Amino acid sequence: MELGQKRRSIRWRLVIQLSIIAAVMSLAFFLAVRAVAEQAAADTQDDILAASATSIADALYSERGEVRLELPYSALSMLGTISEDQVFYRIVANDVTLTGYDDLAIPAAQDHSRTPVFSTTTYRGAEVRTVAMSRAVSTGNLAQDVTVVVAQTRLGLAATSSRITSSATAVAVGFFLVATLLSLFAAQSAVTPLNRLTKSVTRRGPNDLRPVVSEIPSELVPLVDALNGFLARLRASLTRSEEFIVEAAHRIRTPLATVRTQAEVVYRQMEKPKNKRSVREMIRAVDESSRSAGQLLEHAMVSLRTDQLDTQEIDLVDLMGDICERVRPTCDLKDIHLNLDLCAQPAKILGDPILLQSAVHNILDNAIKYSPADSTITLSLEKGDSYRMTFSDQGRGFGGADPANLVHRFTRGANVSDIIGSGLGLTIADEVVRAHNGYLEIKQNKEGIGACVSLVLPVS
Amino acid sequence: MRFTRFACVIGIFFGLVFGANGFETEEQKIYSSSNATQTLRIISTADIEAFEPIVYAFQQQNPSVNIDYVVASSSELMKAIYEENASFDLAISSAMDLQTKIANDGFAKTYTSEATDALPAWAKWRNQVFGFTQEPAVLVISEADFSDLSVPTTRKELIDLLRDNPEKFTGRIGTYDVRISGLGYLFATQDSRNTESFWRLTEVMGRLDTRLYCCSGEMISDVAAGKIALAYNVLGSYANSRLKNTPGIRVVPLDDFLGVMLRTALIPEGARNPAASGLMIDFLVQLNGRPELNKLTGLPPINSLTLQEGSAMRPIRLGPGLLVFLDRMRRETFLRSWTNSIAQN
């Protein structure tokens, strides 16, 4: 992936898309509410104007051949009930103004209809809503056409409209906020199965290659199937390579043993010191290869077993005692004293005895290997929150190498070239304690001489 | 005078003054303040004597304002604002209908303040016309004439009383001549709207040879002098303020309904100093908090509580309804009916 390119989150994409939808709907809602409400307000004004004009038209009468009007009080007062707008009116009979505001325009579209005609015009510098209505009034023999015009400014309407607009705005904004909040939840719940899958995969140990079985939505089934297929292939491939190593190590070790025996025989028959030295070198190389092959075999065994632990109850005190007994002959050869500092009670844990023996044996073997003659190796077992098996020697330590790196395969201390080793001992111990949910602690001794390695295992 | 510290009178012009403007004013008085920086020009229908305490109190609160107070009739006031280019900052009038028309026709400025917001809705219109007094139309009777008669409390009782005692009341009833008095016309038209008995009462008064007056003051004087026994639709605020130094009269508020006129103020569109007009309007609409001024002027301030107590009080509603009786055809018809009823002989 290119640097700086943003990873696009499904959740944020969902939130943004849902928010845009909410915004569009809020806007549509706002416009619709405002349009309907303003229309309703405008209709109310029109209705009252029409009622006013009708009541004026109804009050028209004729007297001595003239059209007369007794302007009804309610005709104008009713207009004052909805707002404090200005009110204008004009009554025209045969193009002569009978009463009212002489300069109030009569709507051009007047076709002498008996139904009210509405228009919006400007009068005295303000926008007015005007209604015009015609009525025939008979004066003696002839009927006169009388037009009633009533107009009202629209400030009340504007105030109503702005009130509606602000309420509609508030509701639309509220709707948008609530919808956005809900879309956050929706997006969160949509990606929950993904997160669950991610967690179930990341929680796994490095050697856990079982298929993924967590609950997943149908959309993720192909992905999980692909993942499981991949895991199966990986597992098969790993198993194959471990088997290959076992096979290879085994096939190398047996002929090497033969080579070594024959070399010993030859060595004894040699007389020239130069030749003897060469054969010794050869025997040493064979030992090293043999040990590496043995360690590789053991490591492969450990790797296989850690996938499928064969747990049973074991006592760490017994285990350490057994191994001490097993290495005592080697120690005696080098005059190394084993100092056991074990607790009196049994320290029982659930674990794989073969693996744990292998781990302890490897550590102890290292300690003996790097200890000088006539020194002491101290083994202790403490019980706190967890069991801590500590192996402390008086050897050369790690020569400045980073202890954390020593657990990597084939990594050895910086000062051990003269001693046979494969660089797999600590790797094996580390993998074993990890498989038992424990950890390996490697450091220089506090006193400055020797190494101190602890196997820490949880109390089960 | 109490407020000489704040104001001194520069000049008073009595009588009819024909200015260069062509509208008639009756009086003018300039109240200049000691540290005045501006002038507020008021055109008003209220007499100088009645309004003066308010002017002094206002100047005490706003010493930077000179006041030029011009008295004119309500119709001349309207003329001044409509036809002439006379620039006044404030128009104060008892003619609610004309004030409403000024505002409706777009000759008034809009003004809002905390004080005007506090006014009840019925006491203002469009934030242009602001009522600051509530003055009922009452019956004023001569106590001497009613010594042996029961005092009427409704229009119906008044009609019965007049019918039953023609010998006592013939020629001894007074009311406004609505043809010449704007206030009388306002009260009469609102009466006609509010009660069926108005036209019967007018008929009865017409038969009893009722005297017609231009002004409340003269009616009250004639009742006090015994020339007439009762006066109908007299401005209650005038009557009440005359009570204490006019023996022999009595104010009777009728309780079938009591028309209440609001004295109103508005800022004309051509006002040069609308800021000062706003100050005066705020002062006027808050008169309720100054009972001492109420005593001096006799002008009852706007008070919603008094309306709740006396349910008969019915303030004339500001709004386009007031334009109806200003309609020239409606006015013509009304005056013709009224004249036919009141002047029967």
Side-chain angles (χ1 to χ4, degrees):
Chain A
M1 179 171 288
E2 213 176 303
L3 265 179
Q5 183 183 341
K6 270 192 182 170
R7 284 169 194 269
R8 301 174 80 190
S9 143
I10 292 181
R11 187 171 50 176
W12 281 113
R13 213 149 59 179
L14 263 178
V15 168
I16 287 167
Q17 282 171 359
L18 290 174
S19 302
I20 290 170
I21 292 170
V24 169
M25 286 180 66
S26 302
L27 185 68
F29 171 82
F30 166 78
L31 293 175
V33 166
R34 202 181 58 168
V36 168
E38 284 185 356
Q39 189 56 50
D43 287 350
T44 306
Q45 187 180 32
D46 283 358
D47 288 348
I48 296 183
L49 278 169
S52 169
T54 306
S55 77
I56 293 174
D58 288 347
L60 291 165
Y61 63 99
S62 71
E63 192 179 83
R64 291 189 212 98
E66 276 178 30
V67 177
R68 304 276 311 168
L69 168 69
E70 192 161 333
L71 186 64
Y73 179 78
S74 61
L76 298 189
S77 72
M78 70 168 80
L79 291 165
T81 56
I82 51 161
S83 65
E84 295 195 332
D85 272 299
Q86 292 159 271
V87 172
F88 309 104
Y89 65 96
R90 184 184 177 188
I91 319 296
V92 179
N94 290 348
D95 298 330
V96 179
T97 302
L98 288 182
T99 185
Y101 290 76
D102 298 332
D103 52 347
L104 184 64
I106 293 177
Q110 253 301 312
D111 53 352
H112 303 283
S113 78
R114 299 295 180 257
T115 52
V117 176
F118 296 98
S119 59
T120 306
T121 53
T122 303
Y123 180 65
R124 293 188 184 221
E127 192 186 50
V128 292
R129 185 70 175 164
T130 306
V131 62
M133 193 187 275
S134 285
R135 190 55 65 90
V137 178
S138 76
T139 50
N141 298 332
L142 103 179
Q144 286 204 47
D145 226 349
V146 182
T147 302
V148 175
V149 183
V150 182
Q152 189 180 28
T153 54
R154 312 188 89 189
L155 294 176
L157 201 64
T160 308
S161 158
S162 88
R163 210 163 48 237
I164 291 168
T165 301
S166 48
S167 328
T169 307
V171 173
V173 167
F175 178 81
F176 172 73
L177 291 179
V178 169
T180 304
L181 201 68
L182 290 179
S183 76
L184 275 173
F185 285 117
Q188 182 61 50
S189 90
V191 298
T192 298
L194 260 184
N195 290 342
R196 208 161 49 213
L197 180 63
T198 310
K199 261 190 210 145
S200 89
V201 173
T202 46
R203 211 172 31 219
R204 290 170 167 236
N207 299 320
D208 186 355
L209 296 177
R210 286 169 302 155
V212 175
V213 289
S214 66
E215 209 176 295
I216 44 165
S218 55
E219 287 86 347
L220 289 179
V221 167
L223 174 67
V224 171
D225 283 350
L227 185 63
N228 284 342
F230 174 73
L231 283 175
R233 286 200 302 280
L234 186 61
R235 200 167 55 231
S237 152
L238 279 178
T239 311
R240 257 199 318 277
S241 55
E242 298 287 359
E243 283 167 359
F244 175 76
I245 293 166
V246 172
E247 187 66 27
H250 187 68
R251 280 174 186 252
I252 290 165
R253 232 164 36 149
T254 316
L256 278 179
T258 314
V259 170
R260 195 184 190 282
T261 316
Q262 293 303 319
E264 288 277 359
V265 174
V266 172
Y267 177 75
R268 287 203 199 98
Q269 292 166 352
M270 289 282 178
E271 282 171 12
K272 287 185 185 168
K274 187 182 159 196
N275 292 346
K276 279 191 110 152
R277 200 168 54 242
S278 296
V279 175
R280 177 124 301 276
E281 283 296 311
M282 194 176 84
I283 290 172
R284 191 183 131 81
V286 170
D287 279 350
E288 194 158 333
S289 299
S290 175
R291 188 184 164 79
S292 289
Q295 290 282 74
L296 276 173
L297 197 58
E298 190 172 3
H299 180 252
M301 182 271 292
V302 165
S303 292
L304 281 173
R305 278 189 88 97
T306 49
D307 283 349
Q308 285 288 305
L309 286 182
D310 177 16
T311 50
Q312 45 186 272
E313 198 179 60
I314 34 178
D315 185 352
L316 292 176
V317 178
D318 290 349
L319 187 137
M320 288 177 81
D322 287 351
I323 292 172
C324 281
E325 287 315 309
R326 212 192 293 166
V327 297
R328 203 170 291 280
T330 324
C331 295
D332 291 348
L333 278 179
K334 286 183 81 175
D335 277 338
I336 291 173
H337 177 62
L338 285 181
N339 180 16
L340 260 82
D341 178 14
L342 306 178
C343 49
Q345 299 100 340
K348 305 237 160 148
I349 67 161
L350 279 177
D352 187 320
I354 296 174
L355 289 182
L356 287 170
Q357 275 170 11
S358 173
V360 172
H361 184 260
N362 267 293
I363 303 289
L364 197 52
D365 194 45
N366 271 348
I368 295 165
K369 211 161 56 179
Y370 298 114
S371 286
D374 198 13
S375 65
T376 302
I377 297 174
T378 306
L379 286 78
S380 65
L381 173 62
E382 297 158 43
K383 184 184 177 186
D385 292 340
S386 49
Y387 291 114
R388 175 177 285 264
M389 289 178 276
T390 306
F391 305 84
S392 175
D393 62 35
Q394 294 169 328
R396 60 186 80 180
F398 305 107
D402 182 359
N405 278 332
L406 293 173
V407 298
H408 294 158
R409 289 181 191 186
F410 310 116
T411 306
R412 303 186 66 200
N415 50 353
V416 293
S417 51
D418 58 327
I419 290 176
I420 295 173
S422 61
L424 280 170
L426 286 174
T427 313
I428 290 167
D430 185 55
E431 284 183 14
V432 169
V433 289
R434 276 179 195 277
H436 288 85
N437 299 319
Y439 60 93
L440 192 66
E441 206 174 84
I442 307 169
K443 56 190 182 204
Q444 296 284 121
N445 251 336
K446 277 176 205 151
E447 293 80 18
I449 330 161
C452 177
V453 176
S454 302
L455 299 179
V456 183
L457 292 170
V459 177
S460 31
Chain B
M1 187 164 284
R2 277 197 295 168
F3 301 111
T4 36
R5 269 195 307 142
F6 300 100
C8 65
V9 179
I10 284 187
I12 304 178
F13 309 92
F14 282 100
L16 296 179
V17 181
F18 278 90
N21 288 315
F23 60 90
E24 285 176 24
T25 61
E26 292 162 12
E27 277 179 275
Q28 181 173 22
K29 188 165 174 179
I30 293 166
Y31 300 86
S32 57
S33 182
S34 46
N35 37 7
T37 56
Q38 52 182 327
T39 300
L40 173 64
R41 298 191 68 213
I42 300 176
I43 184 164
S44 167
T45 60
D47 295 341
I48 283 182
E49 295 78 38
F51 206 75
E52 199 157 60
I54 292 177
V55 171
Y56 285 135
F58 174 79
Q59 281 188 324
Q60 193 177 28
Q61 201 171 302
N62 303 281
S64 68
V65 184
N66 275 339
I67 289 180
D68 181 353
Y69 191 87
V70 174
V71 180
S73 75
S74 57
S75 54
E76 292 302 318
L77 180 153
M78 194 162 176
K79 205 158 134 194
I81 290 172
Y82 266 68
E83 293 166 18
E84 314 297 334
N85 196 17
S87 171
F88 288 100
D89 300 315
L90 196 66
I92 294 172
S93 171
S94 54
M96 296 170 73
D97 44 0
L98 296 181
Q99 296 278 84
T100 300
K101 189 164 168 59
I102 290 171
N104 187 66
D105 292 0
F107 290 95
K109 268 191 201 306
T110 302
Y111 173 73
T112 48
S113 69
E114 261 177 52
T116 62
D117 285 345
L119 268 184
W122 52 263
K124 60 184 172 187
W125 191 59
R126 288 176 62 76
N127 282 322
Q128 291 178 339
V129 182
F130 303 98
F132 66 96
T133 66
Q134 49 186 52
E135 307 176 40
V138 297
L139 191 65
V140 174
I141 58 172
S142 144
E143 284 189 326
D145 286 294
F146 278 82
S147 55
D148 55 346
L149 290 171
S150 66
V151 177
T153 57
T154 65
R155 283 170 182 75
K156 190 174 176 307
E157 282 178 27
L158 177 62
I159 290 167
D160 292 343
L161 180 80
L162 296 182
R163 275 188 181 151
D164 295 348
N165 303 283
E167 71 293 340
K168 182 152 204 163
F169 290 111
T170 301
R172 302 196 67 235
I173 305 170
T175 194
Y176 274 116
D177 186 344
V178 304
R179 292 164 298 190
I180 56 172
S181 162
L183 186 57
Y185 182 71
L186 180 65
F187 279 143
T189 51
Q190 292 298 319
D191 275 7
S192 76
R193 206 169 70 69
N194 281 317
T195 171
E196 289 301 314
S197 49
F198 170 75
W199 288 111
R200 276 198 293 141
L201 178 61
T202 311
E203 287 276 337
V204 170
M205 291 204 296
R207 252 179 265 137
L208 294 177
D209 198 11
T210 292
R211 295 197 195 189
L212 301 176
Y213 291 84
C214 75
C215 324
S216 284
E218 288 179 23
M219 275 190 267
I220 296 164
S221 299
D222 279 5
V223 175
K227 287 187 190 162
I228 54 176
L230 69 86
Y232 177 73
N233 267 357
V234 177
L235 195 54
S237 55
Y238 272 38
N240 281 320
S241 64
R242 294 275 297 273
L243 269 181
K244 46 182 176 287
N245 42 22
T246 315
I249 65 166
R250 194 164 145 197
V251 173
V252 181
L254 294 175
D255 47 359
D256 48 352
F257 89 89
L258 203 55
V260 177
M261 177 274 279
L262 310 182
R263 211 174 279 270
T264 57
L266 61 79
I267 307 175
E269 191 50 46
R272 284 191 207 132
N273 191 3
S277 320
L279 289 177
M280 181 56 105
I281 285 176
D282 288 352
F283 187 84
L284 291 175
V285 300
Q286 289 175 321
L287 282 180
N288 204 14
R290 291 173 164 266
E292 79 284 359
L293 274 182
N294 180 16
K295 262 180 213 145
L296 287 172
T297 59
L299 298 175
I302 294 290
N303 186 350
S304 292
L305 293 177
T306 60
L307 293 182
Q308 279 161 8
E309 284 162 22
S311 58
M313 282 183 118
R314 210 168 295 176
I316 297 170
R317 215 174 90 200
L318 287 164
L322 283 175
L323 304 178
V324 169
F325 292 102
L326 293 180
D327 177 74
R328 55 179 176 258
M329 207 170 250
R330 181 81 202 244
R331 183 178 163 86
E332 206 178 292
T333 316
F334 184 88
L335 289 181
R336 199 166 63 202
S337 302
W338 183 85
T339 310
N340 286 342
S341 302
I342 204 94
Q344 285 160 356
N345 4 349

